[in-house]
Amino acid sequence: MRVMLRAHIDTQAGNEGVKTGALPQAMQRLTEAVKPEAAYFGLSEGVRSCWMVFEMTDSAKLPALLEDLFLQFDAKIEVAPVMNAEELRKGLAELRASG
């Protein structure tokens, strides 16, 4: 299932992570682990944030993938299923066909 991860990094923890190099290392480990089809980094809600879209084959792997962000950076994280335009068209066509 394709999911989108959105993480907001605590400012103080993120500042420390930038100074020590822990933040870029954590982002590198995460991107290597999930191999996102898209990854974006920027500001949202006034804090450092990232968005990654990737294929999640086993939800049991989420705790290990996200624990660095929670423990080191006091991150607020959301993971939600998403679809591309083609998948949306297919889903809506199936909805029309069944109705």
Side-chain angles (χ1 to χ4, degrees):
M1 173 188 315
R2 179 181 286 118
V3 297
M4 179 181 286
L5 162 79
R6 184 176 78 153
H8 296 299
I9 306 297
D10 174 76
T11 299
Q12 287 183 317
N15 289 347
E16 187 62 27
V18 168
K19 289 176 189 174
T20 65
L23 183 57
Q25 291 171 2
M27 289 297 129
Q28 181 69 32
R29 282 192 303 274
L30 181 59
T31 56
E32 287 174 357
V34 302
K35 297 175 182 49
E37 68 182 60
Y40 301 95
F41 305 88
L43 295 175
S44 180
E45 299 180 23
V47 297
R48 292 176 183 96
S49 300
C50 75
W51 300 263
M52 293 184 187
V53 176
F54 61 95
E55 195 67 29
M56 184 171 61
T57 56
D58 183 359
S59 61
K61 294 182 180 181
L62 276 177
L65 290 172
L66 304 179
E67 204 57 36
D68 271 357
L69 298 178
F70 284 126
L71 290 174
Q72 292 188 59
F73 308 111
D74 197 22
K76 291 180 174 63
I77 299 172
E78 296 176 25
V79 178
V82 294
M83 63 189 93
N84 62 28
E86 182 180 321
E87 292 164 334
L88 176 61
R89 280 190 295 274
K90 179 181 175 187
L92 292 174
E94 289 177 13
L95 181 62
R96 278 195 317 258
S98 68

